C-alpha cells in the first residue's frame, strides 16, 4: 500500500511544497530506482517541468528525512517502502528487471557497527544493497 504524499511529508515535519509532492508522485510510478536526470525526463513526459538542480535538492532533503533512499551501487533513488520502520534498511536489487525490495534488519545493522568499531571507524550511516537476480527473473 502506498503512503499518501502529504502524510509522508507531514510525518517527517516537512512542508508540502509542489516540487516535493511532484517528485514523490513520480517516484511512486517507478518500479525500482531511478537516476535524477531520468526522473526529470519522466516528469517532463507527464507535463511536469523541473530543473535538475531542484530535483537534486529535493531528493537530498527527502533522503535526509528518510522518505527516499539513494542506492550505493548506482546512485539512483527510490521511495522508502518501510517509512514506519526505523533503523537499518537494506535492499535486494535485481539487475535483470530493476525491481528493488527493501528489508529491515537490526542484526545486520549491529554487525556493520561492530565491523566499523573493530576498524576504529565511526560510521555516519550505512546502506546494504545485495545485487543479483530476483525469483521472478530466475523462473
Amino acid at each position: 500500500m502506498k503512503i499518501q504524499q502529504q502524510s509522508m511529508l507531514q510525518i517527517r515535519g516537512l512542508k508540502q511544497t509542489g516540487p516535493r509532492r511532484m517528485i514523490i508522485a513520480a517516484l511512486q510510478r517507478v518500479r525500482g530506482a531511478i537516476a535524477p536526470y531520468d526522473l526529470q525526463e519522466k516528469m517532463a513526459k507527464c507535463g511536469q517541468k523541473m530543473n535538475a538542480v531542484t530535483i537534486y535538492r529535493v531528493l537530498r532533503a527527502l533522503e535526509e528525512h528518510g522518505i527516499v533512499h539513494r542506492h550505493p551501487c548506482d546512485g539512483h533513488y527510490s521511495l522508502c517502502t518501510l517509512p514506519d520502520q526505523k533503523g537499518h534498511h537494506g535492499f535486494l536489487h535485481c539487475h535483470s528487471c530493476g525491481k528493488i525490495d527493501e528489508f529491515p534488519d537490526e542484526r545486520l545493522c549491529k554487525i556493520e557497527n561492530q565491523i566499523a568499531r573493530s576498524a576504529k571507524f565511526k560510521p555516519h550511516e550505512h546502506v546494504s544493497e545485495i545485487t543479483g537476480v530476483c525469483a521472478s527473473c530466475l523462473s
Side-chain angles (χ1 to χ4, degrees), residues 28-58:
Q28 286 177 328
R29 295 188 299 267
V30 173
R31 177 182 170 128
I34 190 167
Y37 282 104
D38 294 335
L39 182 62
Q40 181 183 32
E41 186 177 305
K42 185 177 192 67
M43 291 169 65
K45 287 180 182 175
C46 295
Q48 300 173 318
K49 303 233 186 246
M50 190 178 302
N51 69 52
V53 172
T54 301
I55 290 172
Y56 274 97
R57 184 175 34 88
V58 170

Side-chain angles (χ1 to χ4, degrees), residues 113-125:
N113 282 332
Q114 288 171 348
I115 291 168
R117 275 194 302 276
S118 295
K120 295 182 178 14
F121 186 84
K122 183 179 179 186
H124 293 154
E125 65 180 339

Side-chain angles (χ1 to χ4, degrees), residues 78-125:
S78 66
L79 278 177
C80 178
T81 60
L82 306 169
D84 297 333
Q85 296 190 20
K86 294 186 184 233
H88 186 71
H89 292 192
F91 306 95
L92 301 171
H93 186 166
C94 179
H95 280 285
S96 182
C97 69
K99 180 181 175 190
I100 295 174
D101 287 323
E102 187 172 354
F103 64 88
D105 193 319
E106 288 184 34
R107 296 168 301 159
L108 183 57
C109 183
K110 288 177 185 175
I111 290 168
E112 289 176 337
N113 282 332
Q114 288 171 348
I115 291 168
R117 275 194 302 276
S118 295
K120 295 182 178 14
F121 186 84
K122 183 179 179 186
H124 293 154
E125 65 180 339

Side-chain angles (χ1 to χ4, degrees), residues 124-136:
H124 293 154
E125 65 180 339
H126 43 91
V127 179
S128 299
E129 186 169 24
I130 302 169
T131 61
V133 181
C134 70
S136 297

